[in-house]
Amino acid sequence: MPRTTTLECPGCPPLRALTFDELGLIKVTEARSKQGGVPKMVERWGDPDASKCVLAASMDDRKFDPLLAVARKNGTIEVLNPLNGDLHFSVSNVSENGVQPVEDAVSGLHLFAKQNLELTSRSCTLLTCTMKGNASIRSYEVTKSAADVTSTGSSRTWNVCAGGDILCSKVDGSESYSLFGGKRVEMNVWDLENCAKIWTAKSPPKNSLGIFTPTWFTSATYLSKDDHRKFVAGTNSHEVRLYDISAQRRPVITVNFRETPIKAVAEDLDGYTIYIGNGSGDLASVDMRTGKLLGCFLGKCSGSIRSIARHPEFPVIASCGLDSYLRVWNVKTRELLSAVFLKQHLTNVLFDSNFADEETKVTLPAADQLHEEEHIAPGTPCEDDGETVPVKKKKSREKKRSKKEAKAESGNKEVSEENGGKKSKSKKSSKRLKRENLDDEL
């Protein structure tokens, strides 16, 4: 089987994606209208090193002074500039005793965006969580030199689990709550301001055969950025569970998907649709209001999917995994728009929401290129086809109607003429009868 496959790319909207792999490399892929919407890798940051494998990544993609945080396998956390890859500073995620065990790697990382606005441009606040449940929130300030890093404010450290391994964590849109879960650890929600647990899930009961499903969560995300009460979690037993902390402790809806563990979960902008990827390379969308499977995405990845990202503007998602491909999909038609081979096993993917193509600024707004079904009014020409399909349909219908009306009118005229001829004949026959009667009388 060849390492690369040929693909007819229908084209992507202008976008910029950052991918992270097991050798610690950060690769930037861009799609521009000049290239026909075909994404290409334009930059690569770092040197290949297995000890620098990227375990988690978080980005604050604000317009001015954006930041990118990366947690590596060797216990270091780097804060970079996502525009050019320059290193702001690097810190070691060591424990209180000053020793960082090799098996206690970072499993969750979040770069606070709202708190950074209150601080100076050289400061940032990070939330980290290790597999053993050691969570901490720390603020850092960097000076002119990237090596000189000072910790500002009070750092908070606590433990989110008594036993087991933390495998997934997620911070809500308000950045006030966070959820944690993993192997032998039920999903639990924490208040980040007080570092207090406010809710813990309850394991589902035994099935009809009396078999108990062990607790093993692999991925989690909030269903909506504005509501921290509802979240979705994927399990190792190929289940997707919807939790509502205001309703009950057990799952509200449970959806089974194929037969391999769920490895990645991402939410849509509508607040009820989620995208799931499993260990066999299947990607699908689910409506969590009813638990109905909306459909699987066309084509199958040849490796486990490890990360899914939803674009904040265009109706596209990006997925990456162990097959070393970055794939871009259309969420409306669920078709594959493009695939880029990036050589290494990929662990995470993020979108740069502030990326804009130069040509789209002058000619056409960037948000209008892929919203064909939503934003293109009837009668406007499409860029790809160059034809006004709905107008042609209307014209053809109008032509058919005009032809039918013309036939009907001609038929009415003929009928009226025939009726007129019949009336004239009947008048003549009546006159002849009258004349014959008069002749008989005479």
Side-chain angles (χ1 to χ4, degrees):
M1 181 178 178
R3 295 182 63 188
T4 59
T5 57
T6 59
L7 174 70
E8 294 181 1
C9 178
C12 299
L15 54 84
R16 184 173 187 262
L18 282 75
T19 55
F20 312 87
D21 56 43
E22 292 185 348
L23 292 182
L25 300 176
I26 303 175
K27 298 181 180 180
V28 182
T29 304
E30 294 181 358
R32 296 180 179 271
S33 57
K34 293 180 180 179
Q35 304 169 356
V38 180
K40 295 181 180 179
M41 190 192 74
V42 295
E43 290 184 79
R44 193 190 78 169
W45 304 331
D47 297 323
D49 187 358
S51 64
K52 294 183 178 180
C53 170
V54 178
L55 302 176
S58 178
M59 183 167 60
D60 178 16
D61 55 348
R62 54 191 177 186
K63 293 184 179 181
F64 303 100
D65 194 18
L67 296 175
L68 171 66
V70 175
R72 300 188 181 274
K73 188 177 180 180
N74 56 7
T76 60
I77 298 175
E78 299 178 356
V79 177
L80 311 168
N81 186 348
L83 300 179
N84 51 23
D86 293 341
L87 178 65
H88 287 306
F89 64 90
S90 175
V91 294
S92 179
N93 186 35
V94 297
S95 60
E96 295 180 355
N97 299 328
V99 179
Q100 178 66 36
V102 178
E103 62 272 8
D104 193 14
V106 176
S107 59
L109 176 66
H110 180 75
L111 177 61
F112 287 89
K114 295 183 179 180
Q115 295 185 13
N116 292 342
L117 298 176
E118 301 174 358
L119 302 174
T120 60
S121 60
R122 286 285 182 176
S123 301
C124 68
T125 304
L126 294 172
L127 167 65
T128 58
C129 182
T130 63
M131 291 184 64
K132 300 302 179 183
N134 298 317
S136 64
I137 297 178
R138 298 177 183 176
S139 299
Y140 300 96
E141 183 176 359
V142 62
T143 58
K144 294 181 180 180
S145 176
D148 299 334
V149 181
T150 58
S151 178
T152 62
S154 60
S155 61
R156 292 168 289 174
T157 305
W158 72 99
N159 195 280
V160 298
C161 68
D165 297 331
I166 299 294
L167 300 179
C168 57
S169 66
K170 186 71 175 182
V171 178
D172 71 325
S174 64
E175 296 185 337
S176 300
Y177 303 93
S178 179
L179 56 89
F180 303 93
K183 188 176 182 180
R184 300 186 303 276
V185 180
E186 289 289 344
M187 298 300 301
N188 50 84
V189 181
W190 288 73
D191 184 359
L192 297 180
E193 295 182 0
N194 303 319
C195 298
K197 185 190 295 186
I198 61 175
W199 184 84
T200 304
K202 188 176 181 180
S203 58
K206 297 180 181 179
N207 59 11
S208 59
L209 300 176
I211 300 174
F212 176 76
T213 303
T215 302
W216 194 338
F217 292 96
T218 57
S219 57
T221 185
Y222 283 94
L223 196 60
S224 175
K225 294 183 179 180
D226 301 329
D227 189 4
H228 72 279
R229 297 172 298 177
K230 297 179 181 180
F231 62 90
V232 179
T235 67
N236 193 66
S237 55
H238 55 84
E239 290 182 351
V240 181
R241 301 175 183 175
L242 172 64
Y243 290 91
D244 188 352
I245 66 175
S246 62
Q248 60 187 26
R249 294 177 59 189
R250 279 178 172 166
V252 179
I253 296 176
T254 302
V255 181
N256 283 282
F257 180 67
R258 300 295 170 90
E259 297 180 355
T260 53
I262 305 297
K263 293 296 185 179
V265 177
E267 77 280 3
D268 195 81
L269 303 178
D270 55 14
Y272 55 84
T273 304
I274 63 167
Y275 306 100
I276 55 177
N278 62 7
S280 59
D282 298 304
L283 184 64
S285 57
V286 181
D287 188 350
M288 295 308 297
R289 294 175 298 181
T290 58
K292 181 181 178 181
L293 180 67
L294 298 178
C296 295
F297 285 76
L298 303 177
K300 183 177 179 180
C301 306
S302 56
S304 175
I305 297 175
R306 294 305 173 92
S307 179
I308 303 173
R310 173 67 161 85
H311 198 279
E313 295 181 7
F314 302 112
V316 298
I317 61 172
S319 67
C320 68
L322 300 185
D323 62 349
S324 306
Y325 274 92
L326 169 66
R327 288 179 167 87
V328 182
W329 313 79
N330 188 343
V331 299
K332 300 294 182 182
T333 60
R334 291 190 289 274
E335 67 174 347
L336 181 64
L337 297 180
S338 180
V340 183
F341 183 67
L342 297 177
K343 297 183 180 180
Q344 282 80 25
H345 294 174
L346 304 177
T347 58
N348 286 279
V349 58
L350 295 173
F351 275 119
D352 185 1
S353 61
N354 292 318
F355 175 76
D357 198 359
E358 297 178 356
E359 293 184 359
T360 56
K361 290 182 180 179
V362 179
T363 59
L364 189 66
D368 292 342
Q369 289 195 354
L370 197 63
H371 290 263
E372 296 177 357
E373 298 179 4
E374 297 178 356
H375 296 283
I376 294 182
T380 56
C382 298
E383 291 183 359
D384 297 334
D385 299 331
E387 297 177 1
T388 57
V389 178
V391 174
K392 282 190 175 182
K393 288 181 180 179
K394 288 184 178 180
K395 285 184 178 179
S396 61
R397 289 176 182 174
E398 290 176 359
K399 287 180 180 179
K400 288 180 180 178
R401 289 178 183 174
S402 62
K403 288 180 180 179
K404 288 181 179 179
E405 290 176 358
K407 287 181 179 180
E409 289 177 359
S410 61
N412 291 334
K413 287 181 180 179
E414 291 175 358
V415 171
S416 61
E417 288 177 359
E418 290 177 358
N419 293 333
K422 289 179 181 179
K423 287 181 182 179
S424 59
K425 289 180 181 178
S426 62
K427 287 180 180 179
K428 290 180 181 179
S429 59
S430 61
K431 287 180 180 179
R432 288 177 183 173
L433 291 172
K434 286 181 180 180
R435 287 179 183 175
E436 290 176 355
N437 292 331
L438 290 173
D439 293 334
D440 292 337
E441 290 177 359
L442 294 173

